[in-house]
């Protein structure tokens, strides 16, 4: 069926071309294609001037953009009110840059289509694609790429077309970083002779990101600095804000200097403030970096700013109050606990069922109570934490798996759209060149048309006969593959759930046993004190003390831990001992924490050590095993 459809499309295309030849329309155009720009729709010179000014300032400043929109609103009649509505929605999207503002911006699409304002339609699709891709919503991104492909085949739309064909398709899930790099380089070559614009910046930014992923930090830095230099020349504050955020990550990875990271994010913040859009991400990331480096007061101040700029977004508030509470607690644990606990409760109140904010709040509340030695109170929240974590992790796991499956298929389709678009562009160029030379008379065209019709009918019949059996076989094979894929997906889900449950059970058991041992040691200590006061009962109490101390030994705990752990990772300790025979029990335990993806702070809480001492122990352990400084410790342990 697909082959027959392709043949039918080719048939229609050839017939259309022949009719054009017969009519001697060597310069004819497809009227369904877009007009040169939105200005071709406008006959009023004042409106044209204001629209030109709007295009100049839309990436410079929101206040300037809104000012020109107000001027346009003052002179535009009903025919041109669509431009006022379009740029008003676009300004709101640039300011808030969230899904709600994007959906409102997309709502203008039917009105643009009714007026054949294709250039603006493509702008909507491209900005929507960038947003959805940045937020890992690949299905929605692919929809807008496909939609925009229908209207981008004009000379004056070279930038938009390049962004679609090369600048967006390499962001699909199926492409490797190396493939993305090659396609982005092709896009750069396509538009290198055009003046620098937002699309140039976005494509070069994507190339810097690819280089960063590939670990080429030096080249990545050069590229992002080129973006910054050129965006400064055109005063594109909108792009500069994003560029400095990527620059921060590149510089921090290359130099391991957290102060440089913060300075770049502050620079990004300056450009966001100058432009007028949402700055919540900057405040939060600066807070994270300060917290990671034990600058708790600075971290608290920036989390507080993030809360202030959240615009009452419950998802952001649930996370920021959790971060804020723990930073405030770390400033002075004893004095600040009550206020920190209020922040945790606020985070819980803003978090919806299944969101990660509730899990984070309970987790930090437990950490705080443990640091204060209030173990019994912390245990009261463990069940709530585990429930919140289970729901959130399940939602994330299910979504991630479903996204991977769906996005892979969408990525393949998107790649096909790109290939078909390139073919169509080449076909249009060839037809344009040929149409200028074709001046044959009417009867020659009629003969060509008749012969073409006969040949196509013959070819159609022959192809359908040959491909009928093949199509049936392919259909059966596809059904079998889909059934096998469904079974594999089900098994993968079951295995993931089992692994997660086993690891949760294991660490919960270790935690409980440690708590029991602390209690027993406390009783032993009290018995020892009684021995000093009563000599007559000393022997009996001494025997009790011995029995309590031997009730649970470290060796028994470790042996039980090994048995439980190797249910999920068989022969883990044996393989590790073969590589490094002189590893101690504590070092083996540390390896289990790493392979189970416990963060440094979690390990510190579990072992009653500071995060810095845990980092030092991890570095020495890595060296003892024989790994280099740039080797991935987690990947090494997972491959055992």
């Amino acid at each position: 069926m697909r082959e027959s459809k392709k043949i039918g499309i080719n048939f229609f295309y050839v017939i259309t071309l022949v009719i054009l030849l017969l009519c001697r329309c060597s310069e004819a155009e497809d009227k369904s294609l877009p007009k040169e720009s939105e200005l071709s729709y406008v006959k009023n010179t004042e409106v044209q001037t204001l629209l030109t000014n709007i295009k100049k300032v839309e990436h410079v400043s929101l206040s300037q953009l809104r000012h020109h929109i107000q001027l346009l609103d003052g002179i535009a009649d009903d025919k041109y009110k669509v431009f006022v509505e379009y740029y008003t929605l676009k300004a709101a999207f640039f300011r808030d840059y969230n899904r709600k503002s994007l959906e409102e911006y997309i709502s203008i699409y039917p009105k643009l289509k009714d007026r054949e304002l294709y250039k603006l339609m493509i702008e909507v699709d491209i900005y929507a694609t960038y947003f959805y891709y940045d937020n890992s919503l690949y299905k929605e991104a692919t929809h807008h790429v496909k939609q925009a492909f229908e209207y981008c085949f004009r000379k004056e739309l070279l930038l938009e077309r390049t962004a679609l064909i090369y600048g967006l398709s390499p962001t699909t899930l199926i492409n490797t970083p190396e493939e993305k790099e090659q396609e982005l380089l092709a896009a750069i070559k396509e538009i290198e002779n055009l003046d620098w614009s937002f699309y140039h910046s976005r494509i070069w930014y994507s190339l810097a990101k690819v280089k960063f992923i590939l670990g080429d930090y030096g080249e990545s830095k050069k590229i992002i600095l080129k973006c910054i230099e050129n965006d400064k020349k055109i005063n594109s504050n909108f792009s500069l804000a994003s560029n400095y955020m990527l620059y921060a990550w590149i510089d921090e990875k290359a130099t391991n200097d957290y102060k440089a990271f913060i300075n770049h994010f502050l620079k990004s913040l300056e450009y966001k403030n100058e432009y007028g859009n949402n700055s919540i991400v900057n405040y939060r990331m600066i807070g994270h970096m300060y917290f990671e480096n034990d600058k708790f007061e600075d971290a608290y101040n920036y989390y507080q700013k993030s809360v202030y700029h959240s615009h009452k977004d419950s998802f952001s508030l649930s996370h920021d109050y959790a971060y804020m509470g723990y930073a405030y607690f770390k400033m002075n644990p004893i004095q600040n606990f009550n206020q920190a606990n209020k922040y945790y409760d606020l985070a819980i109140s803003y978090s919806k069922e299944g969101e990660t904010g509730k899990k984070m709040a309970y987790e930090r509340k437990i950490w705080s109570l443990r640091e204060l030695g209030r173990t019994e109170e912390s245990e009261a929240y463990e069940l709530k934490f585990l429930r919140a974590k289970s729901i959130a992790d399940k939602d994330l796991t299910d979504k991630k798996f479903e996204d991977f499956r769906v996005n892979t298929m969408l990525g393949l389709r998107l790649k096909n759209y790109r290939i078909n678009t390139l073919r169509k562009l080449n076909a249009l160029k060839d037809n344009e060149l040929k149409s200028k030379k074709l001046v044959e008379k009417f009867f020659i065209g009629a003969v060509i048309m008749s012969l073409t019709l006969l040949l196509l009918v013959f070819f159609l019949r022959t192809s359908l006969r040959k491909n009928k059996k093949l199509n049936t076989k392919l259909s059966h094979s596809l059904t079998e593959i889909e059934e096998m894929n469904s079974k594999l997906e089900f098994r993968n889900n079951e295995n993931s759930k089992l692994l997660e449950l086993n690891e949760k059970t294991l660490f919960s058991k270790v935690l409980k046993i440690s708590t029991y041992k602390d209690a027993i040691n406390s009783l032993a200590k009290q018995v020892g004190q009684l021995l000093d006061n009563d000599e007559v009962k000393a022997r009996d109490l001494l025997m009790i003390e011995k029995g309590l101390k031997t009730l649970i030994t470290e060796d028994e705990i470790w042996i039980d831990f090994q048995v439980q752990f190797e249910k999920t990772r068989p022969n883990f300790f044996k393989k590790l001992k073969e590589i490094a025979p002189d590893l101690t029990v504590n070092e083996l335990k540390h390896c289990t924490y790493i392979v189970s993806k416990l963060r440094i702070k979690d390990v510190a809480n579990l072992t009653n050590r500071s995060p810095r001492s845990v980092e030092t122990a991890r570095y020495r352990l890595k060296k003892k095993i024989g790994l280099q400084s740039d080797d991935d410790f987690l990947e090494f342990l997972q491959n055992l």
Side-chain angles (χ1 to χ4, degrees), residues 72-109:
L72 179 63
D73 192 27
I75 65 168
D77 56 21
D78 291 340
K79 180 181 179 181
Y80 302 129
K81 286 292 182 183
V82 65
F83 294 108
V84 176
E85 185 178 356
Y86 171 80
Y87 284 108
T88 300
L89 292 171
K90 188 175 184 179
F93 170 61
F94 281 177
R95 180 195 64 211
D96 298 331
Y97 204 70
N98 56 32
R99 192 164 186 178
K100 181 181 178 182
S101 60
L102 175 61
E103 288 171 354
E104 291 174 353
Y105 179 39
I106 294 171
S107 68
I108 192 72
Y109 202 95

Short mmCIF file of all heavy atoms in Angstrom, two decimals, residues 72-109:
data_model
loop_
_atom_site.label_atom_id
_atom_site.label_comp_id
_atom_site.label_asym_id
_atom_site.label_seq_id
_atom_site.Cartn_x
_atom_site.Cartn_y
_atom_site.Cartn_z
N LEU A 72 1.70 49.57 17.84
CA LEU A 72 1.01 48.88 16.75
C LEU A 72 -0.48 48.77 17.04
O LEU A 72 -1.32 48.97 16.16
CB LEU A 72 1.63 47.49 16.56
CG LEU A 72 1.00 46.60 15.48
CD1 LEU A 72 1.16 47.25 14.11
CD2 LEU A 72 1.66 45.22 15.48
N ASP A 73 -0.83 48.47 18.29
CA ASP A 73 -2.22 48.34 18.69
C ASP A 73 -2.98 49.66 18.50
O ASP A 73 -4.18 49.67 18.20
CB ASP A 73 -2.29 47.90 20.15
CG ASP A 73 -3.69 47.47 20.54
OD1 ASP A 73 -4.46 47.02 19.67
OD2 ASP A 73 -4.03 47.58 21.74
N GLY A 74 -2.25 50.78 18.64
CA GLY A 74 -2.88 52.10 18.52
C GLY A 74 -3.28 52.46 17.10
O GLY A 74 -4.18 53.26 16.89
N ILE A 75 -2.59 51.87 16.10
CA ILE A 75 -2.88 52.25 14.71
C ILE A 75 -3.48 51.11 13.88
O ILE A 75 -3.96 51.34 12.78
CB ILE A 75 -1.61 52.77 14.00
CG1 ILE A 75 -0.58 51.63 13.88
CG2 ILE A 75 -1.01 53.95 14.73
CD1 ILE A 75 0.57 51.98 12.95
N ALA A 76 -3.42 49.88 14.40
CA ALA A 76 -3.87 48.73 13.62
C ALA A 76 -5.39 48.64 13.59
O ALA A 76 -6.05 48.76 14.61
CB ALA A 76 -3.28 47.44 14.19
N ASP A 77 -5.96 48.44 12.39
CA ASP A 77 -7.39 48.20 12.28
C ASP A 77 -7.64 46.69 12.44
O ASP A 77 -6.73 45.92 12.76
CB ASP A 77 -7.93 48.71 10.94
CG ASP A 77 -7.20 48.09 9.74
OD1 ASP A 77 -6.59 47.01 9.90
OD2 ASP A 77 -7.23 48.69 8.66
N ASP A 78 -8.86 46.26 12.24
CA ASP A 78 -9.22 44.86 12.48
C ASP A 78 -8.38 43.89 11.65
O ASP A 78 -8.08 42.78 12.10
CB ASP A 78 -10.71 44.64 12.17
CG ASP A 78 -11.61 45.34 13.17
OD1 ASP A 78 -11.12 45.66 14.28
OD2 ASP A 78 -12.78 45.59 12.84
N LYS A 79 -8.00 44.30 10.46
CA LYS A 79 -7.23 43.42 9.59
C LYS A 79 -5.86 43.08 10.18
O LYS A 79 -5.36 41.97 10.01
CB LYS A 79 -7.05 44.08 8.22
CG LYS A 79 -6.25 43.24 7.23
CD LYS A 79 -6.10 43.96 5.90
CE LYS A 79 -5.27 43.13 4.92
NZ LYS A 79 -5.09 43.82 3.63
N TYR A 80 -5.28 44.08 10.90
CA TYR A 80 -3.91 43.91 11.41
C TYR A 80 -3.86 43.59 12.90
O TYR A 80 -2.77 43.49 13.46
CB TYR A 80 -3.10 45.17 11.11
CG TYR A 80 -3.04 45.52 9.64
CD1 TYR A 80 -3.36 46.80 9.20
CD2 TYR A 80 -2.69 44.55 8.71
CE1 TYR A 80 -3.32 47.13 7.84
CE2 TYR A 80 -2.65 44.86 7.35
CZ TYR A 80 -2.97 46.14 6.92
OH TYR A 80 -2.93 46.46 5.60
N LYS A 81 -5.03 43.44 13.54
CA LYS A 81 -5.04 43.11 14.97
C LYS A 81 -4.40 41.74 15.24
O LYS A 81 -3.95 41.47 16.36
CB LYS A 81 -6.48 43.11 15.50
CG LYS A 81 -7.09 44.49 15.67
CD LYS A 81 -6.40 45.27 16.79
CE LYS A 81 -7.07 46.63 16.97
NZ LYS A 81 -6.38 47.44 18.02
N VAL A 82 -4.36 40.89 14.22
CA VAL A 82 -3.76 39.58 14.40
C VAL A 82 -2.28 39.70 14.76
O VAL A 82 -1.75 38.90 15.55
CB VAL A 82 -3.94 38.72 13.12
CG1 VAL A 82 -3.19 39.32 11.94
CG2 VAL A 82 -3.50 37.28 13.38
N PHE A 83 -1.60 40.74 14.24
CA PHE A 83 -0.19 40.94 14.58
C PHE A 83 -0.04 41.37 16.04
O PHE A 83 0.90 40.95 16.73
CB PHE A 83 0.45 41.98 13.66
CG PHE A 83 0.53 41.55 12.23
CD1 PHE A 83 -0.29 42.11 11.28
CD2 PHE A 83 1.42 40.56 11.85
CE1 PHE A 83 -0.21 41.72 9.95
CE2 PHE A 83 1.51 40.15 10.54
CZ PHE A 83 0.68 40.73 9.58
N VAL A 84 -0.97 42.20 16.50
CA VAL A 84 -0.94 42.63 17.91
C VAL A 84 -1.11 41.41 18.81
O VAL A 84 -0.37 41.23 19.79
CB VAL A 84 -2.05 43.67 18.18
CG1 VAL A 84 -2.08 44.04 19.66
CG2 VAL A 84 -1.85 44.91 17.33
N GLU A 85 -2.08 40.57 18.48
CA GLU A 85 -2.33 39.38 19.30
C GLU A 85 -1.15 38.42 19.25
O GLU A 85 -0.74 37.86 20.28
CB GLU A 85 -3.60 38.68 18.80
CG GLU A 85 -4.01 37.49 19.66
CD GLU A 85 -5.29 36.84 19.17
OE1 GLU A 85 -5.89 37.36 18.20
OE2 GLU A 85 -5.68 35.81 19.74
N TYR A 86 -0.58 38.25 18.05
CA TYR A 86 0.54 37.32 17.90
C TYR A 86 1.74 37.74 18.75
O TYR A 86 2.29 36.94 19.52
CB TYR A 86 0.96 37.25 16.42
CG TYR A 86 2.23 36.48 16.21
CD1 TYR A 86 2.24 35.09 16.19
CD2 TYR A 86 3.45 37.13 16.05
CE1 TYR A 86 3.42 34.37 16.02
CE2 TYR A 86 4.64 36.43 15.88
CZ TYR A 86 4.60 35.05 15.86
OH TYR A 86 5.77 34.35 15.70
N TYR A 87 2.16 39.00 18.62
CA TYR A 87 3.35 39.43 19.34
C TYR A 87 3.10 39.60 20.85
O TYR A 87 4.03 39.46 21.65
CB TYR A 87 3.91 40.71 18.72
CG TYR A 87 4.63 40.46 17.42
CD1 TYR A 87 4.07 40.84 16.21
CD2 TYR A 87 5.84 39.79 17.41
CE1 TYR A 87 4.73 40.58 15.01
CE2 TYR A 87 6.51 39.53 16.22
CZ TYR A 87 5.95 39.92 15.03
OH TYR A 87 6.60 39.66 13.85
N THR A 88 1.86 39.86 21.22
CA THR A 88 1.53 39.90 22.65
C THR A 88 1.71 38.52 23.28
O THR A 88 2.29 38.37 24.36
CB THR A 88 0.09 40.38 22.85
OG1 THR A 88 -0.05 41.71 22.31
CG2 THR A 88 -0.26 40.42 24.33
N LEU A 89 1.20 37.48 22.60
CA LEU A 89 1.34 36.11 23.10
C LEU A 89 2.80 35.65 23.07
O LEU A 89 3.27 34.95 23.98
CB LEU A 89 0.49 35.16 22.26
CG LEU A 89 -1.03 35.33 22.39
CD1 LEU A 89 -1.76 34.49 21.36
CD2 LEU A 89 -1.48 34.95 23.80
N LYS A 90 3.52 36.09 22.04
CA LYS A 90 4.94 35.73 21.94
C LYS A 90 5.73 36.36 23.07
O LYS A 90 6.60 35.72 23.68
CB LYS A 90 5.49 36.19 20.59
CG LYS A 90 6.90 35.70 20.29
CD LYS A 90 7.31 36.11 18.88
CE LYS A 90 8.67 35.55 18.53
NZ LYS A 90 9.08 35.93 17.14
N ALA A 91 5.45 37.63 23.40
CA ALA A 91 6.13 38.32 24.50
C ALA A 91 5.84 37.63 25.83
O ALA A 91 6.73 37.48 26.68
CB ALA A 91 5.71 39.78 24.55
N ALA A 92 4.59 37.21 26.03
CA ALA A 92 4.23 36.51 27.28
C ALA A 92 4.97 35.18 27.38
O ALA A 92 5.42 34.79 28.47
CB ALA A 92 2.72 36.28 27.32
N PHE A 93 5.11 34.49 26.26
CA PHE A 93 5.85 33.23 26.26
C PHE A 93 7.33 33.46 26.58
O PHE A 93 7.93 32.73 27.37
CB PHE A 93 5.71 32.54 24.90
CG PHE A 93 6.63 31.37 24.71
CD1 PHE A 93 6.54 30.26 25.54
CD2 PHE A 93 7.57 31.36 23.71
CE1 PHE A 93 7.39 29.18 25.37
CE2 PHE A 93 8.42 30.30 23.53
CZ PHE A 93 8.33 29.20 24.37
N PHE A 94 7.93 34.48 25.97
CA PHE A 94 9.33 34.80 26.25
C PHE A 94 9.53 35.17 27.73
O PHE A 94 10.56 34.86 28.33
CB PHE A 94 9.79 35.96 25.38
CG PHE A 94 10.14 35.57 23.98
CD1 PHE A 94 10.51 36.53 23.04
CD2 PHE A 94 10.09 34.24 23.57
CE1 PHE A 94 10.84 36.16 21.74
CE2 PHE A 94 10.40 33.87 22.28
CZ PHE A 94 10.78 34.83 21.36
N ARG A 95 8.52 35.84 28.31
CA ARG A 95 8.65 36.26 29.71
C ARG A 95 8.58 35.08 30.66
O ARG A 95 9.43 34.90 31.53
CB ARG A 95 7.54 37.25 30.04
CG ARG A 95 7.57 37.78 31.49
CD ARG A 95 6.25 38.44 31.84
NE ARG A 95 5.16 37.47 31.81
CZ ARG A 95 3.91 37.78 31.48
NH1 ARG A 95 3.58 39.00 31.15
NH2 ARG A 95 2.97 36.83 31.48
N ASP A 96 7.56 34.24 30.51
CA ASP A 96 7.33 33.14 31.46
C ASP A 96 8.06 31.86 31.07
O ASP A 96 8.50 31.10 31.92
CB ASP A 96 5.83 32.84 31.57
CG ASP A 96 5.06 34.03 32.09
OD1 ASP A 96 5.64 34.83 32.86
OD2 ASP A 96 3.88 34.17 31.74
N TYR A 97 8.15 31.61 29.75
CA TYR A 97 8.81 30.43 29.20
C TYR A 97 8.40 29.15 29.93
O TYR A 97 9.21 28.39 30.43
CB TYR A 97 10.33 30.58 29.22
CG TYR A 97 11.01 29.71 28.17
CD1 TYR A 97 10.88 30.00 26.82
CD2 TYR A 97 11.77 28.60 28.54
CE1 TYR A 97 11.49 29.20 25.86
CE2 TYR A 97 12.39 27.80 27.59
CZ TYR A 97 12.25 28.11 26.25
OH TYR A 97 12.86 27.31 25.31
N ASN A 98 7.09 28.92 30.01
CA ASN A 98 6.55 27.69 30.57
C ASN A 98 5.51 27.12 29.61
O ASN A 98 5.17 27.73 28.59
CB ASN A 98 5.95 27.93 31.97
CG ASN A 98 4.87 29.00 31.97
OD1 ASN A 98 4.15 29.17 30.99
ND2 ASN A 98 4.78 29.74 33.05
N ARG A 99 5.01 25.96 29.95
CA ARG A 99 4.12 25.26 29.02
C ARG A 99 2.79 25.99 28.83
O ARG A 99 2.23 26.01 27.74
CB ARG A 99 3.89 23.83 29.53
CG ARG A 99 3.22 22.95 28.50
CD ARG A 99 3.34 21.48 28.84
NE ARG A 99 2.81 20.66 27.77
CZ ARG A 99 2.82 19.33 27.77
NH1 ARG A 99 3.36 18.69 28.81
NH2 ARG A 99 2.32 18.64 26.76
N LYS A 100 2.29 26.60 29.90
CA LYS A 100 1.02 27.31 29.80
C LYS A 100 1.13 28.47 28.82
O LYS A 100 0.27 28.65 27.94
CB LYS A 100 0.61 27.83 31.18
CG LYS A 100 -0.72 28.57 31.18
CD LYS A 100 -1.07 29.08 32.57
CE LYS A 100 -2.37 29.86 32.54
NZ LYS A 100 -2.71 30.42 33.88
N SER A 101 2.20 29.28 28.94
CA SER A 101 2.37 30.42 28.04
C SER A 101 2.61 29.96 26.60
O SER A 101 2.20 30.62 25.65
CB SER A 101 3.51 31.32 28.51
OG SER A 101 4.73 30.61 28.54
N LEU A 102 3.28 28.80 26.45
CA LEU A 102 3.50 28.27 25.10
C LEU A 102 2.19 27.84 24.46
O LEU A 102 1.94 28.12 23.28
CB LEU A 102 4.47 27.09 25.16
CG LEU A 102 4.69 26.36 23.82
CD1 LEU A 102 5.28 27.30 22.79
CD2 LEU A 102 5.58 25.14 24.01
N GLU A 103 1.34 27.17 25.22
CA GLU A 103 0.05 26.74 24.67
C GLU A 103 -0.81 27.93 24.26
O GLU A 103 -1.52 27.86 23.24
CB GLU A 103 -0.67 25.87 25.71
CG GLU A 103 -0.03 24.51 25.89
CD GLU A 103 -0.59 23.73 27.08
OE1 GLU A 103 -1.41 24.31 27.83
OE2 GLU A 103 -0.21 22.57 27.24
N GLU A 104 -0.74 29.01 25.01
CA GLU A 104 -1.46 30.22 24.62
C GLU A 104 -0.87 30.81 23.35
O GLU A 104 -1.60 31.31 22.47
CB GLU A 104 -1.41 31.23 25.77
CG GLU A 104 -2.23 30.81 26.97
CD GLU A 104 -2.06 31.72 28.17
OE1 GLU A 104 -1.19 32.63 28.12
OE2 GLU A 104 -2.78 31.54 29.16
N TYR A 105 0.45 30.76 23.24
CA TYR A 105 1.13 31.26 22.03
C TYR A 105 0.73 30.42 20.81
O TYR A 105 0.45 30.95 19.73
CB TYR A 105 2.64 31.18 22.28
CG TYR A 105 3.53 31.62 21.15
CD1 TYR A 105 3.24 32.70 20.35
CD2 TYR A 105 4.72 30.94 20.89
CE1 TYR A 105 4.07 33.11 19.34
CE2 TYR A 105 5.57 31.33 19.88
CZ TYR A 105 5.24 32.42 19.09
OH TYR A 105 6.07 32.82 18.08
N ILE A 106 0.66 29.10 20.97
CA ILE A 106 0.29 28.21 19.87
C ILE A 106 -1.16 28.42 19.44
O ILE A 106 -1.51 28.18 18.28
CB ILE A 106 0.51 26.74 20.30
CG1 ILE A 106 2.01 26.47 20.51
CG2 ILE A 106 -0.05 25.77 19.28
CD1 ILE A 106 2.31 25.12 21.13
N SER A 107 -2.00 28.92 20.34
CA SER A 107 -3.43 29.08 20.03
C SER A 107 -3.69 30.05 18.89
O SER A 107 -4.77 30.04 18.28
CB SER A 107 -4.20 29.54 21.28
OG SER A 107 -3.82 30.86 21.64
N ILE A 108 -2.70 30.90 18.57
CA ILE A 108 -2.86 31.88 17.48
C ILE A 108 -2.70 31.22 16.11
O ILE A 108 -3.02 31.82 15.09
CB ILE A 108 -1.82 33.03 17.65
CG1 ILE A 108 -2.14 34.22 16.73
CG2 ILE A 108 -0.42 32.53 17.36
CD1 ILE A 108 -3.34 35.00 17.15
N TYR A 109 -2.24 29.98 16.08
CA TYR A 109 -1.88 29.30 14.84
C TYR A 109 -3.01 29.29 13.79
O TYR A 109 -2.78 29.62 12.62
CB TYR A 109 -1.44 27.87 15.16
CG TYR A 109 -0.57 27.24 14.12
CD1 TYR A 109 0.81 27.27 14.22
CD2 TYR A 109 -1.12 26.58 13.03
CE1 TYR A 109 1.62 26.68 13.26
CE2 TYR A 109 -0.33 25.98 12.07
CZ TYR A 109 1.04 26.03 12.19
OH TYR A 109 1.83 25.44 11.25
#
